[in-house]
Amino acid sequence: MTGGAGFIGSHIADALVAQGHEPVLLDAFLPAAHTAAVVPPWCQGYSLERGDIRDTSLLARLLSTVDAVCHQAAMVGHGVDPTDAPDYALHNDFGTAVLLAEMHRAGVKRLVLASSMVVYGEGRYRCPSHGVVRPGPRLLSDIEAGEFEPPCPVCGGALHSELIAEDAPLDPRSTYAATKLAQEHLASAWARQTGGGVWALRYHNVYGPRMPRNTPYAGVASMFRSALERGEAPRLMEDGAQLRDFVHVTDVAQANVLALEAAPPSGALEAVNVCSGDPHTVGDLAFELAQAHNGPTPVVIGGARPGDVRHIVADPAKATRILGYHPNMPFTQGVHAFATSPLRP
């Protein structure tokens, strides 16, 4: 498993061991994900290699001992600005290409790929008059005026957000999103060329213990939690009413184990949403965390980051149907536990 010492990877490792598997972990300990380049306590006792997935000799040695790859390694998050783009491409796309080439040389034909809901761009919207439509990017002038909802591209009317399924058109709107979609394309081409099989698990907003602390690459739950630990109010962009699907990391780990144990799609990539199916607003997350932390009330600051989307929530039905995935962690219970759970060292 690449990224095996990371936030999600380490939980997958725990879940694999609990099912009787023997994971071999590889991690580069990138500063964007690891505040300190030390092996975290929860990875003690695992077979863990410190190294880069672009190191072909290291990959050749590790791949000779395994029968499947769980690819979690990546630069994640919104990042700082477009100067991050070369690093995202090097780690996420070139790194994946090297991994796939070495898997072919080693004869390993089973891959579980950590993809992301960011490949969709905006979520699914319905216009009362024109049915399902795809709004274009929101205008800066609208956001500055406090008009955050994307309008119908046909009539300009109000839209209703719906759950998005895996067959939706893909429209990445950030550097990170573009690299995650490129990973899917690379893995799909590899599967067709080799007869291998890929489960692409499109994670939604994952949160839980072991998240990185407040960095430009951390998730919003970690940013809110870090603010509360400093005694500061979580700051909500837009109006806090952006809909997301917050899925607990233990449910994401469950999905990975199910995918690794399932018969892989033959010569193809199969994309699957990994989510809770229970949408909440970003404001809901901030307020629940503040309440659990006995911290200050969140404040709305308006504005939006370039490339941010308004609503993106998903349907887990396909994961349930073909993998037997059932999310178990309720939103309120998970968020309240996260308020005091350990973050990365």
Side-chain angles (χ1 to χ4, degrees), residues 148 234-240 287 298-302:
F148 303 116
R235 293 159 60 88
L236 292 167
M237 301 194 80
E238 303 187 24
D239 56 0
F287 279 97
V299 296
V300 174
I301 63 172

Side-chain angles (χ1 to χ4, degrees), residues 5 29 34-44 48 50 344-345:
F29 287 88
H34 299 264
T35 309
V38 296
V39 177
W42 43 79
C43 285
Q44 301 291 340
L48 173 61
R50 187 188 298 261
R344 300 204 66 76

